[in-house]
């Protein structure tokens, strides 16, 4: 085996070991898909791990797969300087995003394990500190104490009411902070946008439900996404092409002779940000379909014109 291939296999064997320790029993097919190799390669990798003394067990049956004894622990020497560099990059990004003393202390502990210039990637999330740090800290306190929180919330339809929920995790996604929480009233998990919360308070009410890890809950809720989406087709001048792709995640369907393009946008139906973005682009972007969006934009533009006349 060539030196390069041997190094690649060694790194994959280590990655497979870590994956099994983190995820438990996993089928050969799932491992093959995750590591982008064949099932046969995974089977050979398992033989190599066993020869190296890693206690891998093969379990047959419908729910079968490979697993490693829970008593097995990786020696800390398995982690390389690159591994520590990735950890530090993630920690620095977290510290830049939130005012969390615990995260800062953890960063201090790991900083001596890797040189400052080891990483070629910098994650600067300092913009996320704007406006919602107090809410973030109170939610983290409630999650740690397993206490329900109560707040006023305004939804996409501009309806405001009181919610009392069990907070599971705070998440940054879709360019905003969200709270993943369990609603006892709805007997379901919901995402709440922090910027829409008011008068947040931590109650004395303890959790009534034992919650799975946040990433597990997210995977389940994403399979039943209740948000409604709409496809919008636009004609975009060449001068606005990059902005439509950046701000509205537009997909080019056709290049036109005059340099303009036909594009498709997929938006959340009740969200307002994309409407404002389309209006801000002026005559550089024309909505072709659906007709209801054309009328909506025309009405909004008329109201703006009348205001300033």
């Amino acid at each position: 085996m060539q030196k390069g291939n041997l190094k690649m296999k060694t790194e994959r064997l280590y990655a497979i070991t870590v994956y099994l320790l983190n995820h438990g029993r996993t089928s050969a097919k799932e491992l093959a898909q995750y590591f982008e190799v064949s099932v046969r390669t995974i089977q050979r990798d398992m033989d190599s791990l066993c020869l190296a003394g890693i206690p891998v067990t093969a379990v047959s049956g419908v729910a079968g797969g490979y697993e490693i004894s829970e008593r097995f622990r990786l020696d800390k020497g398995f982690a390389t300087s690159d591994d520590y560099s990735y950890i530090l990059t993630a920690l620095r990004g977290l510290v830049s995003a939130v005012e969390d003393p615990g995260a800062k202390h953890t960063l201090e502990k790991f900083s001596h394990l890797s040189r400052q210039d080891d990483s070629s990637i910098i994650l600067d999330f300092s913009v996320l500190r704007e406006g919602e740090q107090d809410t973030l800290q109170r939610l983290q306190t409630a999650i740690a104490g397993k206490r329900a929180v109560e707040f006023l919330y305004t939804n996409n339809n501009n309806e405001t009411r009181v919610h009392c929920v069990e907070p599971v995790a705070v998440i940054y996604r879709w360019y905003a902070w969200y709270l993943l929480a369990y609603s006892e009233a709805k007997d379901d998990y919901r995402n709440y946008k922090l910027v829409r919360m008011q008068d947040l308070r931590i109650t004395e009410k303890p959790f009534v439900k034992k919650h799975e890890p946040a990433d597990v809950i997210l995977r389940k809720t994403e399979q039943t996404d209740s948000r409604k989406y709409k496809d919008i087709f636009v004609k975009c001048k060449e001068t606005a092409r990059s902005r439509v792709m950046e701000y509205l995640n537009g997909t080019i369907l056709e290049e036109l002779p005059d340099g303009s393009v036909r594009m498709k946008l997929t938006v959340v139906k009740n969200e307002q940000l994309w409407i404002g973005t389309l209006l801000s682009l002026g005559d550089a972007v024309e909505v072709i379909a659906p007709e209801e969006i054309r009328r909506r934009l025309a009405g909004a533009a008329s109201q703006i014109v009348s205001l300033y006349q």
Side-chain angles (χ1 to χ4, degrees):
M1 184 181 292
Q2 294 181 348
K3 186 176 180 180
N5 291 337
L6 179 60
K7 182 176 184 293
M8 186 181 300
K9 179 180 179 181
T10 302
E11 290 176 348
R12 187 175 67 248
L13 290 175
Y14 168 62
I16 289 172
T17 304
V18 173
Y19 188 92
L20 289 175
L21 287 171
N22 288 335
H23 296 269
R25 187 181 302 170
T26 308
S27 70
K29 182 179 179 181
E30 289 175 302
L31 288 169
Q33 290 174 344
Y34 185 84
F35 290 99
E36 299 180 347
V37 295
S38 68
V39 170
R40 180 60 187 145
T41 296
I42 291 295
Q43 291 169 342
R44 287 197 293 265
D45 286 345
M46 293 303 156
D47 291 338
S48 297
L49 288 174
C50 289
L51 288 173
I54 308 295
V56 178
T57 303
V59 180
S60 59
V62 176
Y66 294 104
E67 62 185 12
I68 295 176
S69 170
E70 292 183 359
R71 291 176 293 179
F72 177 77
R73 292 290 181 270
L74 279 176
D75 185 273
K76 61 184 179 182
F78 267 89
T80 67
S81 59
D82 283 343
D83 295 329
Y84 287 122
S85 178
Y86 296 143
I87 292 169
L88 281 170
T89 297
L91 280 171
R92 290 183 186 120
L94 175 62
V95 169
S96 75
V98 297
E99 287 284 356
D100 188 334
K104 289 181 180 178
H105 294 327
T106 304
L107 177 58
E108 287 293 331
K109 292 177 184 177
F110 275 84
S111 290
H112 75 282
L113 299 173
S114 178
R115 296 188 306 275
Q116 186 73 18
D117 60 348
D118 273 352
S119 178
S120 59
I121 298 175
I122 296 174
L123 304 178
D124 185 352
F125 299 132
S126 54
V127 68
L128 305 185
R129 292 186 178 219
E130 297 176 2
E132 293 158 359
Q133 287 300 309
D134 182 58
T135 301
L136 277 171
Q137 290 174 6
R138 277 186 284 166
L139 287 172
Q140 287 177 291
T141 299
I143 293 167
K146 298 188 184 302
R147 289 290 182 269
V149 295
E150 189 176 276
F151 51 87
L152 277 174
Y153 191 76
T154 303
N155 64 19
N156 284 338
N157 297 321
N158 206 32
E159 301 164 340
T160 301
R161 66 182 184 86
V162 176
H163 290 253
C164 186
V165 300
E166 297 179 7
V168 177
V170 285
I171 307 158
Y172 184 78
R173 63 192 329 199
W174 305 317
Y175 307 105
W177 284 107
Y178 287 82
L179 168 67
L180 173 65
Y182 171 72
S183 169
E184 188 177 359
K186 300 290 185 181
D187 189 24
D188 197 7
Y189 291 94
R190 302 292 174 94
N191 286 310
Y192 300 89
K193 204 169 186 177
L194 264 60
V195 73
R196 293 178 179 167
M197 292 180 180
Q198 300 176 57
D199 303 329
L200 173 71
R201 71 179 186 88
I202 303 172
T203 73
E204 294 300 319
K205 183 181 178 183
F207 285 7
V208 298
K209 183 180 178 67
K210 184 176 180 181
H211 305 291
E212 293 180 290
D215 59 335
V216 175
I217 298 171
L218 279 175
R219 284 197 295 271
K220 291 180 179 178
T221 56
E222 284 170 351
Q223 291 171 1
T224 56
D225 190 349
S226 60
R227 296 179 302 166
K228 295 180 180 179
Y229 294 86
K230 178 177 287 292
D231 287 338
I232 299 176
F233 298 90
V234 302
K235 181 181 178 182
C236 174
K237 290 183 179 179
E238 187 175 12
T239 54
R241 178 200 298 215
S242 62
R243 284 177 289 170
V244 173
M245 294 178 70
E246 179 181 357
Y247 302 136
L248 296 167
N249 200 25
T251 302
I252 296 175
L253 301 177
E254 182 184 4
E255 302 266 0
L256 301 175
D258 62 356
S260 61
V261 292
R262 285 182 61 251
M263 303 180 78
K264 183 178 84 169
L265 321 175
T266 301
V267 299
V268 179
K269 191 173 181 180
N270 289 337
E271 287 286 355
Q272 301 298 316
L273 183 60
W274 57 268
I275 285 284
T277 303
L278 283 172
L279 286 169
S280 73
L281 293 168
D283 66 351
V285 177
E286 178 190 359
V287 172
I288 307 301
E291 184 61 31
E292 65 181 273
I293 301 300
R294 286 178 60 89
R295 292 195 298 268
R296 185 173 173 184
L297 286 167
S302 296
Q303 289 176 343
I304 293 171
V305 170
S306 65
L307 176 65
Y308 288 100
Q309 283 179 336

